[in-house]
Amino acid sequence: MDLMDTPSPHPDLNRNRLPTLFEVLSRRTMAPVDLFSFYIYMRDQQRSVDYLDFWLDVSQHMSLCRHYVRELRRSVLVETPELEKAGSKRSSQVLDHFPDMNDPAGPSSELNADERIKDQHLSAFLRQENGNGNTNHSPHSSLGSQQSGLRASNERHFNGERPPRASFMSNPLDNTTNSNSPAHTVARADIRASAEKILYTFLLPGSEREIILPQGILQDITVSIEEDGRDDPEVFDAAKDYTFQAMERDAFPGFLRSKALGNLVPPSSFVRLCLGLLAMFGGFWAAFACILLDKPKHIRCWLILPFTIGVYSLSSQQYSIDPVLALCGLSEYTFMNWSRIREPYVRRLINKRASMVLFCTVLIGVALIVLFIFVPGKRL
């Protein structure tokens, strides 16, 4: 499952408006305005996918911390039930604040009071555990070979090497199928490794996929992780909020224009532009040739073909929408790769826009065809 074991919310099928970035990142939308499509857009068109990957990795770090705390509570209750009777409920009481819930997808300022309190308790618990030196505390087993891999990755970091970048959809616990299995637990060192991985991959100057953040935010994160030894989710709150707002301001409006008002990607639009110009050139050349050679009307009827192709291709390029494919419910996410339009409001919006473009195409095409078929010829 994506982003740890947090279940994806059900899409809102009754939404009568375009989705927000919060809803897209929360996975409450469907194609072509879902998280996968937004990732492809950020990678191929916006050229700033590192910001989205950073945001997703921070969200995954939050999920890892919650998973660790839930497993720690389960381990404490199973292995030492006498602690409950003895009144030593500190960890259990703290962990009771973390029932199964979805990771917040927006900035921390948009969280409701309950979610904010839970996140604060989680970070406070992890900071206290760090302060007590319990960095090796974990349920009876850790991630096994994965933990060893993460430790080796950390060693490579300190030796100046950079680890390979994992896919943003990958799940560190993807080999787990049973929530009661030992492999489903997370070691405390895994949380530390996750925080350091984010720092070394995205934040430090000259890092593998460095993103631009205000110097104050970057300095606070670096000091918190490298000097204070923190790895709780609150370390990244300011950077996560800044990244969310940057994507919402600079990338998301273009994504909605591209996916909710059209169904073509730029390379496909460029192909249609070239095809349209070529067809229109051929159509006008043939039309004037027929007029100047005084060809009969049944010969001129062949002009329907180039003018139809030319007008249709140029209209598709102009509005970034292929009306026939749009009416068939298809949207292009990469060049010549199509997916079904499943978001109800977007489907209605694209159908209206496709009908308008198709009407204009037919109107212009018919005007050109009638003009050049019925205009009197004069042989030179």
Side-chain angles (χ1 to χ4, degrees), residues 67-120:
H67 186 86
Y68 166 76
V69 169
R70 285 196 297 267
E71 291 297 319
L72 182 60
R73 176 177 180 271
R74 182 184 304 170
S75 175
V76 169
L77 293 180
V78 170
E79 293 184 359
T80 56
E82 66 277 3
L83 290 180
E84 293 292 320
K85 299 177 182 178
S88 178
K89 300 182 181 181
R90 184 177 187 84
S91 296
S92 178
Q93 287 174 343
V94 172
L95 299 176
D96 281 340
H97 288 287
F98 308 107
D100 292 333
M101 64 179 183
N102 297 324
D103 290 324
S108 56
S109 59
E110 292 187 9
L111 299 181
N112 60 44
D114 184 56
E115 289 174 333
R116 191 177 294 111
I117 290 174
K118 289 174 181 176
D119 285 351
Q120 290 172 352

Side-chain angles (χ1 to χ4, degrees), residues 258 261-265 269 315-322 353:
S258 173
L261 299 179
N263 68 338
L264 298 178
V265 296
S269 293
S315 299
S316 298
Q317 187 275 334
Q318 177 66 29
Y319 295 99
S320 295
I321 185 171
D322 189 306
R353 189 173 171 84

Side-chain angles (χ1 to χ4, degrees), residues 106-259:
S108 56
S109 59
E110 292 187 9
L111 299 181
N112 60 44
D114 184 56
E115 289 174 333
R116 191 177 294 111
I117 290 174
K118 289 174 181 176
D119 285 351
Q120 290 172 352
H121 285 163
L122 173 62
S123 294
F125 175 80
L126 294 175
R127 285 197 302 271
Q128 180 186 11
E129 191 179 40
N130 248 350
N132 293 336
N134 294 331
T135 56
N136 295 322
H137 188 24
S138 67
H140 30 257
S141 67
S142 69
L143 290 174
S145 61
Q146 180 198 349
Q147 180 182 350
S148 301
L150 286 168
R151 287 173 178 167
S153 175
N154 282 342
E155 293 174 1
R156 288 196 297 271
H157 277 312
F158 289 110
N159 291 331
E161 300 179 20
R162 294 187 181 118
R165 170 71 181 149
S167 168
F168 87 100
M169 286 295 208
S170 64
N171 176 9
L173 303 176
D174 56 2
N175 294 326
T176 62
T177 56
N178 184 351
S179 61
N180 295 322
S181 64
H184 205 65
T185 55
V186 179
R188 189 66 175 82
D190 299 329
I191 297 178
R192 179 68 186 175
S194 173
E196 290 178 344
K197 173 193 166 193
I198 294 172
L199 175 66
Y200 299 143
T201 302
F202 297 101
L203 302 179
L204 291 182
S207 56
E208 179 185 2
R209 305 179 65 185
E210 182 183 0
I211 62 175
I212 306 302
L213 293 176
Q215 190 61 35
I217 295 178
L218 182 60
Q219 184 67 22
D220 289 344
I221 295 175
T222 304
V223 170
S224 296
I225 294 177
E226 293 192 329
E227 297 183 13
D228 299 341
R230 290 180 57 184
D231 52 22
D232 55 279
E234 278 188 2
V235 170
F236 300 106
D237 272 356
K240 187 179 180 184
D241 292 354
Y242 180 87
T243 303
F244 181 92
Q245 292 163 5
M247 291 190 296
E248 187 176 44
R249 180 185 64 251
D250 300 331
F252 194 64
F255 170 71
L256 290 181
R257 283 194 301 270
S258 173
K259 296 302 181 182

